[in-house]
Amino acid sequence: MTGIMMNLASNAQPNYVTSGLMYYIDAGKTYSYSGSGTSMTNISGTAVGASTVANGATFTSAGLGSYFTFNGSTQTVYTADMISLFNSPVNENVTLEAWVRTSSDNGVVASEQGNSPINTGWHDSQIEIVSGNLRVGVYTAAGLANLLVGAVTRNQWQQYTMTFNSATGVLSGYINGSTTTSASGISRLSPMDGYAPQLYYDLMYQDSTSLGDGSSLAGDWSIFRVYNRALTAAEVLQNYNATKGRYT
């Protein structure tokens, strides 16, 4: 798998990082979402299956700028189980990237799930807006490591990214590839350690194991990417620059 995705199709977006990309769904690409139905195809190139749009999130077609709108209550998108990509051998490194236009100062952007149905057994919020600020986290023996990243801007498309490097124990958070903060000395626990049989992610939906709020997030969402490594700051910025033109 190459490190850079080039423009090979009319609705492809160039230059986002593909090295370590395990899962990728995108409302703005017709080969990920056709424009109707509840299934979103994983276009990362891995064999993991489709995501599900649940409870009637509303789709708006706008070319590469297409998106789903969530009511801040019951609506969500959840990915397929991808634990096979992280447990042979166990790999605690991760990057989560989501593109969101929030209409609320509180709510979960992305949560880690280990059991079905959602929010049973193992589950924890990993990207969340709390009182107008972005927070990121991973689960540890002491509970959620909870890192304040910075203020979000309501009603504006933004890229929210969390990275965790297990070798260094560094957790980092980013807004638009440039606002960054980090914490070190963190040892992540996850479903890959035998705590749960699955690993999938739930978007825009409540989680009681929260970073401070835990409610469902009202607003718009378009892109979610999962990597099996911690992207560098330069790579997070690269993804931002490759995608921001959709929303201007």
Side-chain angles (χ1 to χ4, degrees):
M1 187 178 292
T2 61
I4 304 297
M5 178 67 75
M6 300 307 292
N7 191 354
L8 300 178
S10 61
N11 63 349
Q13 187 73 20
N15 300 328
Y16 63 85
V17 177
T18 61
S19 175
L21 182 61
M22 297 289 103
Y23 203 86
Y24 176 19
I25 49 175
D26 190 328
K29 294 188 175 181
T30 56
Y31 49 96
S32 182
Y33 185 68
S34 67
S36 63
T38 61
S39 179
M40 296 191 73
T41 300
N42 167 28
I43 57 174
S44 69
T46 64
V48 175
S51 290
T52 301
V53 181
N55 301 326
T58 304
F59 178 69
T60 297
S61 178
L64 283 172
S66 299
Y67 58 89
F68 285 92
T69 299
F70 298 80
N71 61 9
S73 179
T74 58
Q75 295 169 343
T76 184
V77 171
Y78 58 91
T79 73
D81 177 20
M82 62 187 79
I83 198 167
S84 63
L85 303 178
F86 288 87
N87 68 355
S88 296
V90 171
N91 179 8
E92 303 285 8
N93 299 295
V94 70
T95 296
L96 304 181
E97 176 190 356
W99 282 78
V100 172
R101 180 169 59 185
T102 180
S103 57
S104 172
D105 284 336
N106 291 284
V108 175
V109 175
S111 66
E112 174 187 73
Q113 301 284 327
N115 300 82
S116 296
I118 294 167
N119 290 341
T120 59
W122 183 278
H123 58 93
D124 57 286
S125 174
Q126 297 197 330
I127 305 178
E128 185 173 337
I129 299 170
V130 181
S131 299
N133 291 291
L134 187 69
R135 291 182 174 271
V136 299
V138 293
Y139 204 78
T140 74
L144 270 174
N146 189 333
L147 182 63
L148 174 64
V149 181
V152 304
T153 303
R154 290 178 64 172
N155 303 312
Q156 179 176 305
W157 282 104
Q158 292 189 302
Q159 175 211 43
Y160 303 144
T161 307
M162 179 275 280
T163 71
F164 179 71
N165 185 319
S166 64
T168 60
V170 173
L171 171 69
S172 299
Y174 302 82
I175 300 172
N176 292 345
S178 59
T179 301
T180 179
T181 187
S182 298
S184 59
I186 295 170
S187 180
R188 179 189 177 200
L189 299 179
S190 75
M192 286 77 76
D193 299 305
Y195 292 104
Q198 299 176 312
L199 172 67
Y200 65 101
Y201 292 93
D202 188 34
L203 307 179
M204 309 291 283
Y205 190 66
Q206 63 189 342
D207 195 309
S208 59
T209 310
S210 75
L211 294 165
D213 176 71
S215 63
S216 297
L217 182 64
D220 304 324
W221 162 85
S222 61
I223 291 170
F224 185 60
R225 298 181 179 119
V226 181
Y227 294 83
N228 67 355
R229 63 187 184 89
L231 296 189
T232 66
E235 289 174 320
V236 174
L237 180 59
Q238 178 178 325
N239 278 4
Y240 171 70
N241 286 330
T243 310
K244 64 181 181 180
R246 297 186 184 194
Y247 310 112
T248 57

